Amino acid sequence: MDHQSLQTTPADTALLGKIFTEARSQNGWLDRPVPHRLLEQIHELACLAPTSMNCSPLRITYLVTAEAKERLRPALAAGNVDKMMTCPVVAIFATDFAFAERLPFLFPHTDGKGFFERNPHLVEDTALRNATLQAGYYMLAARALGLDCGPISGFDAKVVDATFFSESWLKSNFICGLGHGDPAKLFARHPRLSFEDACQIL
């Protein structure tokens, strides 16, 4: 892919580098803390991006202490243990399947809560689709604000849910390390599909 052909200003190029062209999924971390205020700023950016009916079903549980991360350890695939245990912040991206309870506040101009009560078959797809979309927004916001991300799906969701969400409507979607990545632990970037392979114009 020819990143040099993008029509951008120097400032745009720098930002696109942080978010896309130079950003990588991290496999290891530098020993640098992540301030709690930075996590709040990421949320303040990411929550502005769209979801259907403004339903906003993403919920994030941050594991920042060694004790909290140890609770996660039994759920992790072997290859992800060191990556998560050494990460400054581990974010569990979860989906709130009771999201409609918040719609009188989030979508006040119509009865969104009643809509989903009358159409319960739409709840699961709406929740999962939009929570996943929000998690993608979140990672881009984190990169824009100077953090690196290391998302993983190698974990036992049932164990995570029993450990962290046993008394709620939340279910884990995926897990993401947040911090400052160690360049020495990166792999070479893998290929991506070309426009012609991935897209069609009708």
Side-chain angles (χ1 to χ4, degrees), residues 10-92:
D12 291 337
T13 300
L15 181 58
L16 290 173
K18 291 174 70 173
I19 299 175
F20 293 108
T21 58
E22 303 302 323
R24 302 292 309 282
S25 293
Q26 299 298 317
N27 297 303
W29 307 95
L30 301 176
D31 186 17
R32 292 177 58 186
V34 174
H36 291 184
R37 176 57 186 147
L38 183 53
L39 301 179
E40 295 174 359
Q41 290 173 325
I42 295 167
H43 172 78
E44 289 164 4
L45 277 180
C47 74
L48 298 175
T51 56
S52 61
M53 296 178 71
N54 199 33
C55 61
S56 306
L58 177 67
R59 306 289 180 264
I60 304 172
T61 297
Y62 293 108
L63 311 181
V64 298
T65 66
E67 293 78 10
K69 293 173 195 173
E70 283 299 323
R71 294 175 63 197
L72 180 66
R73 183 190 289 268
L76 295 172
N80 288 323
V81 172
D82 287 345
K83 187 189 305 187
M84 293 296 106
M85 292 299 104
T86 59
C87 187
V89 177
V90 177
I92 303 174

Side-chain angles (χ1 to χ4, degrees), residues 63-193:
L63 311 181
V64 298
T65 66
E67 293 78 10
K69 293 173 195 173
E70 283 299 323
R71 294 175 63 197
L72 180 66
R73 183 190 289 268
L76 295 172
N80 288 323
V81 172
D82 287 345
K83 187 189 305 187
M84 293 296 106
M85 292 299 104
T86 59
C87 187
V89 177
V90 177
I92 303 174
F93 290 133
T95 303
D96 184 359
F97 289 92
F99 68 88
E101 296 298 316
R102 305 288 187 98
L103 287 180
F105 169 69
L106 292 170
F107 204 64
H109 63 283
T110 191
D111 183 17
K113 181 175 183 289
F115 172 81
F116 284 102
E117 289 172 343
R118 294 187 298 273
N119 296 279
H121 62 287
L122 299 178
V123 168
E124 183 174 357
D125 282 353
T126 300
L128 186 57
R129 180 181 302 113
N130 285 279
T132 305
L133 185 63
Q134 284 188 283
Y137 297 146
Y138 184 97
M139 289 190 291
L140 296 182
R143 286 175 166 182
L145 292 177
L147 289 184
D148 293 306
C149 302
I152 65 164
S153 57
F155 68 97
D156 188 327
K158 291 181 179 178
V159 173
V160 170
D161 294 346
T163 302
F164 295 97
F165 309 130
S166 62
E167 298 182 4
S168 75
W169 285 89
L170 304 187
K171 291 189 180 299
S172 55
N173 187 350
F174 67 97
I175 294 171
C176 185
L178 298 167
H180 297 91
D182 183 351
K185 296 183 178 178
L186 285 174
F187 302 122
R189 190 190 289 276
H190 295 307
R192 300 297 196 268
L193 295 177

